Amino acid sequence: MKIEAVDFFYLAMPQITTEGDGSQDALLVRVAAGGHVGWGECEASPLTSIAAYVAPMSHGACRPVMASVAGQTIDTPADIARIAHAIEMDSMDLLQAPHTWSGIEMALWDILGKARGVPVWHLLGYRRAHNKQPYASILFGDTPQETLARAQGVRNSGFSAAKFGWGPFGHGTLSDDADQLDAAREGLAEEATLLIDAGQVFGEDIEAAAARLPHLERVRALWFEEPFLGSAYECCATLAARSLVVKLAGGEASHNVFMARHTIDNGRVSFVQIDCGRIGGIGPAKAVADYAVARGVTYVNHTFTSHLALAASLQPYAGLAAHRICEYPAAPKVLARDIAGEPLKPDDNGEIRLPETPGLGISVDTAAIAKYLVDIEIRMRNKTLYATPRLV
Amino acid sequence: MKIEAVDFFYLAMPQITTEGDGSQDALLVRVAAGGHVGWGECEASPLTSIAAYVAPMSHGACRPVMASVAGQTIDTPADIARIAHAIEMDSMDLLQAPHTWSGIEMALWDILGKARGVPVWHLLGYRRAHNKQPYASILFGDTPQETLARAQGVRNSGFSAAKFGWGPFGHGTLSDDADQLDAAREGLAEEATLLIDAGQVFGEDIEAAAARLPHLERVRALWFEEPFLGSAYECCATLAARSLVVKLAGGEASHNVFMARHTIDNGRVSFVQIDCGRIGGIGPAKAVADYAVARGVTYVNHTFTSHLALAASLQPYAGLAAHRICEYPAAPKVLARDIAGEPLKPDDNGEIRLPETPGLGISVDTAAIAKYLVDIEIRMRNKTLYATPRLV
């Protein structure tokens, strides 16, 4: 099958706010090859990722992503890996390239699965897709009262696990954070799993992060996510050594397999969180899952956007029964909800099951999302490099 | 001083080839503040870096670089660090951001130096700028004969050190590479320093890289640069342990201080190479230089573009007398030569001296480069986000 078309669609809510909510816009990729159509989604900054696809070449190691993708043949997973390697070498100096490629890579797996009539997890070598326990991923409220209300909402929705993150956490006093943690725990069921995401707020300040550990223990948080800057592995390892009960989690910013491995080996996390929309798609994420298994670390998806991104992000560890927990965007913006024709709803046991349908198992509802489409044009020397294509 | 204007200029040669020559295009940044004008240069893929400046916000941790820069005040180096930190947090999910910010950061140092009437290296705390020994940075020829001719050219130009890289190296047989290495050594003076840059060609293949070590020793190469993928620190450390004579060099892809530290601590390089156009500018590069000193590692600039980029890249280690060697783009495209009004020519001893003039000490020859200007327009919903500004 020859890659005949790669189209990017930038979707956005009418208003974008500064809250840490990644579902306010989306960059979808539609790829056509061999009579099949595949879909993927890139994280984040749609305009920049589009530019990385169409930018003129700077030199041999700084070619646009398009140079390694357009017109290529894909008939096996090895073909996807071959294109990934071409981008690794030929877009070496184009920093944004892994984010742009991630969405394309998902779409190529979607096409391969559809062409063979099997789900993507089957192509990855898994015999079955095990059910996952979704955790509702939401933001701290501006006040403990708001956080309490959100936690009660999560409980009423039937989730057995929830993650609270960002918002005011780490920006105020120790006592402010304790109030937020108490509110989160109070609103959840006694037996519910509670996860906390600091959103890198402590920079490299180990003591500030460590000061939160006793209260994190008190509210029985399972993990403390990204207390430090994404590449500050040493800080993370130091805190991990000091935290006997609460585990460390991180890795979402990894834009190649090495970074994820370093998060495990040098950051000493117990949970490695991979965003398939950043790391280069499903193939490298599967390599991280294999690595995590070998190191006794639990693999978790990082997903705060649509159910298309969610379906892609669950494939790399679909067959790992012991790696049960999964991030589930519980309160996304309507844009992100409208993308997937068949959202991945929790079943009666509150579990998520990946579809058995070929490819990623998610259709994109083009009619529903047309209203979010952002009209973009990039022109160079009076020649159009990119213009928003027709969605339908 | 308030940042009043930030203008990006995309320059390109009429023809861009796939050779590994980073001087074929350039992204210049001009910043105006407090009646002063500063200049900087971003590495690489100009269109993508422009997009990262003007892209609409995706969410609070994925704001465009502009959001942290426009209208800010800069009166001290701490102000530059404050803006850098804002970008670190607020453009956390915008992968291209460090490359975009790098050029702006240089321009801010240029402005601060001009406002105070001192060179940038003085603002960094250095009492004087020590002379550097430039190495001519050139590409292997397609054949050993071409490489020999280039090496002879370097010798005739008076350089006492030269680096050969990319081209066919590592793509053919061991014997092909030996012929290339012999040609490089043969063309240089007996006492000249020879450096070899593999351009990541061996991926993660330690044995393939190790097989080159005996011949690298035979031609007395001082360092073996980037045999592996930029983040494959473990491969680099393994080879470093096996190479008793030839030292390892790397780090150019670092887009934050942590990556450079990991190149030193986990990659076990003896030379850490920092591109000020990628790592976030001069401030973080100075932090790496301090770190290198503490670890007994030699700091080296990475520069393959203009003398504006060169002047910026020498500042972070200008005062380190023991860190003498510097990369010098010896055969850049005419575009890169035309950018700087006063190029940094080797003196009678073949050494490079940073100017004592305020700021970066380089003026941009706007009249000379106007002919390379690439006309770009980025429009969103019929609103212009970016249009190439007037150069003069």
Side-chain angles (χ1 to χ4, degrees):
Chain A
M1 300 183 287
K2 186 180 165 192
I3 298 177
E4 291 142 14
V6 178
D7 290 315
F8 287 89
F9 301 97
Y10 178 179
L11 310 176
M13 294 291 292
Q15 296 291 329
I16 308 278
T17 75
T18 58
E19 64 179 344
D21 177 355
S23 71
Q24 301 183 82
D25 67 8
L27 180 59
L28 301 189
V29 193
R30 183 181 65 193
V31 180
H36 298 281
V37 171
W39 286 90
E41 188 174 338
C42 305
E43 261 293 289
S45 191
L47 176 63
T48 313
S49 290
I50 290 169
Y53 190 74
V54 301
M57 172 168 67
S58 286
H59 53 80
C62 192
R63 305 183 215 201
V65 174
M66 184 198 288
S68 302
V69 172
Q72 292 293 311
T73 56
I74 51 149
D75 295 307
T76 68
D79 291 321
I80 299 178
R82 172 179 49 78
I83 299 172
H85 181 64
I87 291 168
E88 194 168 43
M89 299 308 288
D90 295 345
S91 300
M92 191 186 286
D93 289 358
L94 177 43
L95 190 49
Q96 189 73 14
H99 285 200
T100 303
W101 163 238
S102 291
I104 301 169
E105 205 254 18
M106 291 175 196
L108 295 180
W109 283 104
D110 196 23
I111 287 172
L112 268 193
K114 285 169 176 168
R116 297 197 185 177
V118 294
V120 170
W121 50 261
H122 183 89
L123 293 175
L124 294 173
Y126 293 128
R127 293 193 180 179
R128 55 171 292 201
H130 292 276
N131 288 2
K132 301 293 180 194
Q133 177 197 15
Y135 68 79
S137 193
I138 49 181
L139 303 171
F140 279 115
D142 287 338
T143 64
Q145 290 69 34
E146 270 184 62
T147 297
L148 176 66
R150 290 183 189 186
Q152 289 166 335
V154 166
R155 178 177 187 162
N156 293 337
S157 304
F159 285 97
S160 62
K163 183 170 87 182
F164 290 83
W166 299 77
F169 190 83
H171 290 284
T173 66
L174 204 53
S175 159
D176 292 338
D177 285 356
D179 290 346
Q180 283 281 1
L181 293 173
D182 286 339
R185 171 46 79 193
E186 187 186 333
L188 298 179
E190 176 68 18
E191 68 282 6
T193 301
L194 173 61
L195 314 162
I196 300 298
D197 179 2
Q200 305 191 13
V201 72
F202 300 112
E204 296 177 71
D205 189 342
I206 293 170
E207 294 311 321
R212 271 71 186 177
L213 287 177
H215 213 86
L216 285 164
E217 282 192 34
R218 209 161 302 145
V219 299
R220 291 174 287 119
L222 172 64
W223 82 48
F224 192 22
E225 175 177 337
E226 285 213 316
F228 309 111
L229 294 170
S231 298
Y233 305 132
E234 303 77 5
C235 297
C236 191
T238 303
L239 192 68
R242 286 170 63 171
S243 183
L244 302 177
V245 177
V246 180
K247 304 299 183 191
L248 274 290
E252 67 183 75
S254 304
H255 56 80
N256 59 49
V257 173
F258 296 105
M259 296 175 76
R261 282 198 222 161
H262 298 150
T263 302
I264 291 172
D265 293 336
N266 305 326
R268 298 281 171 186
V269 297
S270 297
F271 297 88
V272 64
Q273 303 168 292
I274 299 302
D275 196 316
C276 277
R278 291 178 175 181
I279 199 168
I282 293 168
K286 170 64 163 58
V288 175
D290 292 343
Y291 195 79
V293 168
R295 302 284 163 142
V297 161
T298 301
Y299 182 100
V300 195
N301 66 307
H302 175 267
T303 310
F304 211 94
T305 55
S306 75
H307 284 212
L308 172 65
L310 179 63
S313 76
L314 295 180
Q315 307 290 339
Y317 75 120
L320 303 179
H323 301 232
R324 279 204 78 232
I325 204 165
C326 82
E327 180 163 38
Y328 188 87
K333 294 285 180 284
V334 60
L335 177 164
R337 287 205 302 274
D338 283 351
I339 289 173
E342 316 79 19
L344 299 177
K345 301 270 190 202
D347 65 15
D348 291 346
N349 295 320
E351 294 179 330
I352 297 290
R353 174 188 288 274
L354 267 178
E356 302 277 335
T357 40
L360 295 174
I362 297 285
S363 69
V364 170
D365 189 343
T366 49
I369 60 177
K371 59 178 174 289
Y372 305 111
L373 198 56
V374 179
D375 192 44
I376 293 283
E377 187 176 14
I378 304 177
R379 293 172 66 81
M380 181 176 97
R381 295 184 181 123
N382 293 317
K383 196 184 126 199
T384 298
L385 296 184
Y386 174 85
T388 300
R390 288 177 60 93
L391 188 52
V392 193
Chain B
M1 299 183 289
K2 187 180 163 191
I3 297 177
E4 290 141 13
V6 178
D7 290 315
F8 287 89
F9 301 97
Y10 178 178
L11 310 176
M13 294 291 292
Q15 295 292 330
I16 308 280
T17 75
T18 57
E19 64 180 342
D21 177 354
S23 71
Q24 301 183 80
D25 67 7
L27 180 59
L28 301 188
V29 193
R30 184 181 65 194
V31 180
H36 298 282
V37 171
W39 288 90
E41 187 173 338
C42 306
E43 263 290 295
S45 190
L47 176 63
T48 313
S49 289
I50 290 170
Y53 190 73
V54 301
M57 171 168 69
S58 286
H59 53 81
C62 192
R63 305 183 214 202
V65 174
M66 184 198 289
S68 302
V69 172
Q72 291 295 310
T73 57
I74 51 149
D75 295 307
T76 69
D79 290 321
I80 300 179
R82 172 179 49 78
I83 299 173
H85 181 65
I87 290 169
E88 194 168 42
M89 299 308 288
D90 294 345
S91 300
M92 190 186 287
D93 289 359
L94 177 44
L95 190 48
Q96 189 73 15
H99 285 201
T100 303
W101 163 239
S102 292
I104 301 168
E105 206 256 14
M106 292 175 196
L108 295 180
W109 283 104
D110 195 23
I111 287 172
L112 268 193
K114 285 169 176 168
R116 297 197 185 176
V118 295
V120 170
W121 49 262
H122 183 89
L123 293 174
L124 295 173
Y126 293 127
R127 291 188 181 185
R128 55 171 293 203
H130 292 277
N131 288 1
K132 301 292 180 195
Q133 178 197 14
Y135 68 79
S137 193
I138 48 181
L139 304 171
F140 279 115
D142 287 339
T143 63
Q145 290 70 32
E146 270 184 62
T147 296
L148 176 66
R150 291 183 189 186
Q152 288 165 336
V154 166
R155 178 177 187 161
N156 294 337
S157 305
F159 285 97
S160 62
K163 184 171 87 182
F164 290 83
W166 299 77
F169 190 84
H171 290 284
T173 65
L174 204 53
S175 161
D176 292 338
D177 286 355
D179 290 344
Q180 283 281 359
L181 294 173
D182 286 339
R185 170 46 79 194
E186 186 185 333
L188 298 180
E190 175 67 17
E191 68 283 6
T193 301
L194 174 61
L195 314 163
I196 300 298
D197 179 2
Q200 305 190 14
V201 71
F202 300 113
E204 296 176 72
D205 189 343
I206 293 170
E207 294 311 322
R212 271 74 186 176
L213 288 177
H215 213 85
L216 285 164
E217 281 191 36
R218 210 162 301 147
V219 298
R220 292 174 288 120
L222 173 63
W223 81 46
F224 192 23
E225 174 178 338
E226 284 214 315
F228 309 111
L229 294 170
S231 298
Y233 305 132
E234 302 77 8
C235 295
C236 191
T238 302
L239 192 68
R242 285 170 64 170
S243 183
L244 302 177
V245 178
V246 181
K247 304 299 183 190
L248 274 289
E252 67 182 76
S254 303
H255 56 80
N256 59 50
V257 173
F258 296 105
M259 294 174 77
R261 283 199 221 159
H262 298 150
T263 301
I264 291 172
D265 293 335
N266 304 328
R268 298 282 171 188
V269 296
S270 298
F271 297 87
V272 65
Q273 304 168 292
I274 298 303
D275 196 315
C276 276
R278 289 177 175 181
I279 199 168
I282 293 169
K286 170 65 163 59
V288 175
D290 292 343
Y291 195 81
V293 168
R295 302 283 162 143
V297 163
T298 302
Y299 182 100
V300 195
N301 66 308
H302 175 266
T303 310
F304 210 95
T305 55
S306 76
H307 284 212
L308 172 65
L310 179 64
S313 76
L314 296 180
Q315 306 291 337
Y317 75 120
L320 303 179
H323 301 232
R324 279 202 79 233
I325 204 164
C326 82
E327 180 162 39
Y328 188 89
K333 293 286 180 285
V334 59
L335 176 163
R337 287 205 302 273
D338 283 350
I339 289 173
E342 315 80 18
L344 300 178
K345 301 268 190 204
D347 65 14
D348 291 346
N349 295 321
E351 293 179 333
I352 298 289
R353 176 188 287 274
L354 267 178
E356 302 277 335
T357 40
L360 296 174
I362 298 286
S363 69
V364 170
D365 189 343
T366 50
I369 59 177
K371 60 178 174 288
Y372 306 111
L373 198 56
V374 179
D375 191 44
I376 293 282
E377 188 177 14
I378 303 176
R379 294 174 65 81
M380 181 177 94
R381 295 184 181 123
N382 293 318
K383 197 185 123 198
T384 298
L385 295 184
Y386 174 84
T388 300
R390 286 176 61 92
L391 189 50
V392 194

